Amino acid sequence: MCVKQWRVENGEVCITEAYKVNSPIYLLTEPFDEEIANAIREWLEYFGVNNEMNIVITDGEEEYVALFPGAVMTLVYKTPKAAEAAYKFIKYLEDTGREYIVNQDAAAMLEITLGVRALPENLRERVEALRSRKEAGGRPRDVPETSVPAPKEEPQAGEIEEICLMLKDISADKLELVKKVIGIVLRNPELLADILKLA
Amino acid sequence: MTCFEPLLPPDVLIHYKDFDLGCSMIDNVCEYIERRSGYDAYEIAYLYPQLLPKFLIKAEFCGERAREWQRFVSDELTPASIKWHKRGPCPGLAVRCPISHRVFLMSSKRAYKYLRECTYITSAARELGIQLWRYGPNKRVVTFPIERPIEKIRAILSYAPIKLEDAVNCGKHGLASLIYWAENFAVKSIELLIDSLIKSKFGFTQSIENGYISHFRNFV
């Protein structure tokens, strides 16, 4: 039962007391403190609401929720594009320097379902190559995706293959990693020569 | 609403070695993940296994494994793993590491609570520059789904090796399961369950490596 109800650009808003969650929820924020309260309060201004409220963004199927500690009232934003609206809310939090109160699991899930976070191609083949190399008796010397330590020993054949595989799959978010890999290659002339041979 | 009736526990989703075979034994859970995420279930399971429960949030489970799957979806799994049988004396393994491969089936926040207790993993990760979590303002911990966790664990184990048999002989069951998973892209308990399921259904022990896998695509 709405205490107050009105239409907005992409749907309608209902302010209600004691909102009952009908379907499984995705929590958009971490259960923190005043910072969440401030963030939600600011975001609510978009709807012309100044009171402290929980937020539910829903398309009738999914419910994305941001909880305002201690709030009694709930603003229910009904929109057919609930995932997009929830993602916008998360982006708003990040853009205003509040990334740390965002539930990063929910953010990643939204990015994947909305296609914002692209997944690499040929993943299965790459993993299979990694696995079969291990099974062939190769020592499992792996180069992590996010960071690469400076080599302390001579490079192994497996390392060279792995670097080549990684270089085939460069995207903007892997730039730092690529820089580190190139750093390693440049510090090691033999490794560079081997890579050039493979290329 | 369809009720899925998986024959294997949720660990099957990170049993990459025989992923398709595993999928064929968990009703249509993999297909459901694909519908919800828009991606191949293997890709999600390999890149972000911690997000899998989120894609299953509306799914219902029944059958003998229902409780385990419900616990998985509601983020209540524990790192408990199979009990490994000792094969020799413990050489002395002074590591405290109350985790197993199962932490990567938990939400990032919950996984952090276990991972931070495993100083063996966390200190090696720090030295390698691998981020398992980060810090926000006021040193608040920001957790996030770890991308390709198996590759990160493999990198850590390459850097700071622990032999599987040492972990087993020293009674570190969770750590042994983690090491086995990282080394073999396989969950030991799932291997055993798949073996016993096939044995009970067909009366012989499976041999996936010998090319039988395609015969079991429509197992259920």
Side-chain angles (χ1 to χ4, degrees), chain B residues 130-180:
Chain B
I130 295 173
Q131 265 197 334
L132 299 174
W133 60 81
R134 59 176 176 265
Y135 292 96
N138 303 324
K139 294 193 175 177
R140 274 175 166 163
V141 172
V142 178
T143 64
F144 49 85
I146 297 166
E147 190 179 328
R148 302 170 196 254
I150 195 167
E151 291 182 16
K152 296 199 166 60
I153 294 297
R154 282 168 65 86
I156 287 166
L157 291 173
S158 298
Y159 180 76
I162 289 186
K163 283 185 188 167
L164 173 65
E165 62 183 88
D166 289 347
V168 169
N169 290 335
C170 294
K172 310 272 182 194
H173 303 291
L175 185 58
S177 296
L178 181 79
I179 294 170
Y180 187 87

Side-chain angles (χ1 to χ4, degrees), chain B residues 8-9 11-18 65 80-85 87 100-102 150 164 168 172-197 206 208:
Chain B
L8 296 168
D11 308 53
V12 69
L13 292 172
I14 52 171
H15 182 68
Y16 307 122
K17 190 179 161 191
D18 310 311
R65 300 274 176 196
S81 63
I82 55 164
K83 191 175 178 189
W84 294 73
H85 296 294
R87 285 174 251 163
S100 72
H101 61 277
R102 279 193 151 195
I150 195 167
L164 173 65
V168 169
K172 310 272 182 194
H173 303 291
L175 185 58
S177 296
L178 181 79
I179 294 170
Y180 187 87
W181 175 65
E183 284 184 352
N184 299 286
F185 291 83
V187 179
K188 184 69 184 172
S189 56
I190 296 296
E191 279 185 345
L192 297 171
L193 283 167
I194 287 179
D195 255 4
S196 80
L197 273 175
Q206 58 97 18
I208 296 146

Side-chain angles (χ1 to χ4, degrees), chain A residues 18-195:
Chain A
Y19 180 82
K20 187 175 177 294
V21 173
N22 295 311
S23 59
I25 59 164
Y26 300 101
L27 276 175
L28 299 176
T29 49
E30 297 288 356
F32 276 130
D33 46 30
E34 192 56 30
E35 196 62 36
I36 289 183
N38 288 334
I40 293 180
R41 199 180 290 126
E42 287 169 24
W43 201 71
L44 284 169
E45 284 173 13
Y46 169 78
F47 297 105
V49 178
N50 296 316
N51 298 329
E52 299 175 346
M53 291 182 199
N54 300 314
I55 293 177
V56 174
I57 303 169
T58 180
D59 55 9
E61 286 259 318
E62 314 289 354
E63 287 174 323
Y64 303 93
V65 177
L67 295 174
F68 190 112
V72 177
M73 306 297 274
T74 300
L75 179 138
V76 185
Y77 176 24
K78 291 178 190 162
T79 169
K81 295 190 171 179
E84 286 90 337
Y87 182 66
K88 272 186 191 167
F89 175 65
I90 280 175
K91 287 305 290 175
Y92 169 79
L93 294 180
E94 288 177 352
D95 293 346
T96 51
R98 297 179 178 108
E99 185 205 12
Y100 60 96
I101 61 170
V102 170
N103 180 336
Q104 295 296 329
D105 293 12
M109 188 210 65
L110 281 168
E111 285 181 2
I112 287 170
T113 48
L114 295 173
V116 179
R117 185 182 296 213
L119 303 190
E121 290 175 2
N122 305 324
L123 179 75
R124 223 181 242 251
E125 289 82 353
R126 294 181 58 208
V127 175
E128 206 44 47
L130 193 65
R131 195 171 77 79
S132 53
R133 199 177 73 223
K134 190 261 163 194
E135 281 185 354
R139 199 172 145 216
R141 294 183 50 80
D142 295 323
V143 181
E145 277 282 319
T146 46
S147 177
V148 181
K152 291 173 185 169
E153 303 166 15
E154 287 298 303
Q156 309 288 310
E159 284 180 324
I160 296 164
E161 283 170 24
E162 183 118 352
I163 290 169
C164 287
L165 282 170
M166 287 163 67
L167 289 175
K168 283 180 187 169
D169 186 31
I170 299 170
S171 59
D173 61 328
K174 297 281 190 301
L175 208 57
E176 280 308 306
L177 170 69
V178 173
K179 281 182 192 169
K180 285 179 185 174
V181 173
I182 290 171
I184 289 172
V185 173
L186 292 179
R187 281 198 302 274
N188 193 326
E190 285 179 24
L191 181 61
L192 178 60
D194 285 337
I195 286 173

Side-chain angles (χ1 to χ4, degrees), chain B residues 10-132:
Chain B
D11 308 53
V12 69
L13 292 172
I14 52 171
H15 182 68
Y16 307 122
K17 190 179 161 191
D18 310 311
F19 191 82
D20 290 338
L21 179 64
C23 277
S24 72
M25 296 177 172
I26 53 172
D27 214 343
N28 288 310
V29 171
C30 292
E31 289 79 359
Y32 184 80
I33 292 169
E34 282 165 10
R35 277 202 307 278
R36 300 280 301 169
S37 68
Y39 286 95
D40 183 53
Y42 181 93
E43 291 176 351
I44 299 288
Y46 189 82
L47 292 168
Y48 303 104
Q50 291 170 281
L51 297 183
L52 289 167
K54 291 215 172 284
F55 293 113
L56 290 169
I57 217 162
K58 298 183 94 175
E60 283 184 15
F61 298 95
C62 41
E64 280 180 26
R65 300 274 176 196
R67 198 175 150 80
E68 273 174 288
W69 281 85
Q70 276 150 8
R71 284 168 65 85
F72 167 57
V73 173
S74 52
D75 198 22
E76 291 169 8
L77 281 187
T78 65
S81 63
I82 55 164
K83 191 175 178 189
W84 294 73
H85 296 294
K86 290 186 181 186
R87 285 174 251 163
C90 171
L93 196 56
V95 293
R96 188 176 176 278
C97 192
I99 67 168
S100 72
H101 61 277
R102 279 193 151 195
V103 294
F104 300 113
L105 291 171
M106 299 174 186
S107 69
S108 64
K109 201 171 182 61
R110 195 136 178 281
Y112 161 74
K113 287 179 183 168
Y114 289 104
L115 281 167
R116 71 179 175 188
E117 299 294 320
C118 181
T119 47
Y120 156 68
I121 295 282
T122 55
S123 53
R126 197 165 41 245
E127 284 167 36
L128 284 168
I130 295 173
Q131 265 197 334
L132 299 174

